[in-house]
Amino acid sequence: MSIVVTGATGHLGRHVVEQLLEKVPAEQITAVVRDEAKAADLAARGVRLAVADYNVPETFDGLFAAGDKVLLISGNEFDKGRPRQHQVVIDAAKAAGAALLAYTSAPGSLTAALADDHRATEDALLASELPYTLLRNGWYHENYTEQLAPVLEHGAVVAAAGEGRVSSASRADYAAAAVAVLTGEGHENKTYELGGDEAWSFAEYAAELSRRTGREIAYNAVSTEALTGILAGAGLPEPLAAILAGVDASIEKGELVVPTGDLSRLAGRPTTPLSVAIAAALEDKG
């Protein structure tokens, strides 16, 4: 029996594997990666590597074993049909007789186009009749704190979210919830709505940046169309720019406020405040 993590060298996957190593012996962990070289450090610590690609179904043949607990981290290739990619993993896990498949989904309240692939994957997972856990992850602090350069350059936070609020948390927080499910008992056929303990607005985000930097950082609220144009102008493909701007429209409607407390309960601790994430990001920037 192994705990298998797909996308193990991605932003979230690395946090999951690192936290698993604190809980279980390394030989019980299998990291699924596309590029073995990127996981050399994990292999050196005793983690088993499996090379597979969502886009090449046969690479998952025989990868799982009966009794495995699998974490399917959603793919990030929006243009390659993510539900089809995820189906490859679901089919392989079912064929092997996996004990559990946990999937990193999106909040049930989210109606933006970004959620469509997640809902399709959830439907496929339920249809498979595999024991499942839906980890409906809310927004990540890092979606903002890793994009501080243009904010600081222009002295403005630009978003199409109006006065909407976001229950974001750190990737490490969401990883802790996944690890609790993968190493614990009684999570079969459960759905967890995951978000940070405190929701914040973009005006508050700008104010915290101002406080931390000693500079005046404004919040410029724009339309979804304007934001799509800004993101496309920054180099994002227009379809992806529209998807991300659509999330802001959902934020304005309150769809990324997740008040359940599921995340801190699973993690066994309060979630990371946005102010802490901001301070760490600014320190990293020097």
Side-chain angles (χ1 to χ4, degrees):
M1 192 278 286
S2 186
I3 295 174
V4 186
V5 180
T6 73
T9 54
H11 291 305
L12 180 62
R14 275 203 168 271
H15 280 290
V16 172
V17 175
E18 289 287 346
Q19 293 185 39
L20 280 172
L21 284 165
E22 297 172 5
K23 296 279 186 81
V24 299
E27 59 267 22
Q28 292 182 18
I29 305 168
T30 299
V32 181
V33 300
R34 281 193 290 193
D35 183 349
E36 201 167 357
K38 289 184 178 177
D41 60 315
L42 299 178
R45 296 169 69 181
V47 174
R48 175 175 172 258
L49 302 186
V51 179
D53 187 328
Y54 294 151
N55 299 302
V56 187
E58 58 268 25
T59 59
F60 280 89
D61 291 346
L63 192 153
F64 303 120
D68 281 352
K69 290 185 176 180
V70 179
L71 176 64
L72 170 53
I73 294 180
S74 58
N76 59 7
E77 296 176 312
F78 293 90
D79 59 336
K80 291 192 176 177
R82 292 194 297 168
R84 178 186 55 78
Q85 293 179 326
H86 300 158
Q87 187 74 57
V88 168
V89 181
I90 293 168
D91 290 345
K94 182 176 174 63
L100 180 75
L101 194 150
Y103 172 64
T104 60
S105 191
S109 54
L110 186 65
T111 64
L114 181 75
D116 293 348
D117 289 352
H118 293 298
R119 297 290 94 84
T121 301
E122 289 185 4
D123 290 344
L125 182 51
L126 269 60
S128 76
E129 299 185 347
L130 267 168
Y132 68 86
T133 306
L134 298 182
L135 296 165
R136 287 180 169 169
N137 288 0
W139 225 216
Y140 300 140
H141 290 332
E142 289 88 348
N143 291 343
Y144 304 105
T145 59
E146 290 180 353
Q147 309 297 327
L148 283 179
V151 173
L152 298 176
E153 180 184 348
H154 299 290
V157 171
V158 179
E163 297 178 6
R165 304 182 77 79
V166 185
S167 300
S168 67
S170 70
R171 289 194 187 108
D173 293 336
Y174 291 107
V179 167
V181 166
L182 294 168
T183 60
E185 301 295 334
H187 299 290
E188 293 83 1
N189 305 330
K190 297 282 182 66
T191 298
Y192 297 110
E193 298 285 350
L194 304 176
D197 294 337
E198 293 186 22
W200 50 268
S201 70
F202 284 86
E204 290 168 347
Y205 174 50
E208 181 65 19
L209 283 171
S210 298
R211 189 175 76 81
R212 294 276 178 182
T213 61
R215 296 170 47 198
E216 182 59 37
I217 307 291
Y219 168 41
N220 291 346
V222 299
S223 68
T224 52
E225 294 76 17
L227 183 59
T228 301
I230 290 167
L231 294 173
L236 284 182
E238 190 156 335
L240 179 56
I243 286 172
L244 295 178
V247 172
D248 273 20
S250 285
I251 290 172
E252 185 168 23
K253 297 179 210 168
E255 294 178 4
L256 276 178
V257 173
V258 183
T260 61
D262 284 353
L263 181 52
S264 53
R265 276 194 294 274
L266 282 173
R269 56 169 173 75
T271 60
T272 305
L274 179 65
S275 58
V276 171
I278 290 172
L282 290 171
E283 187 173 329
D284 286 344
K285 289 185 71 66

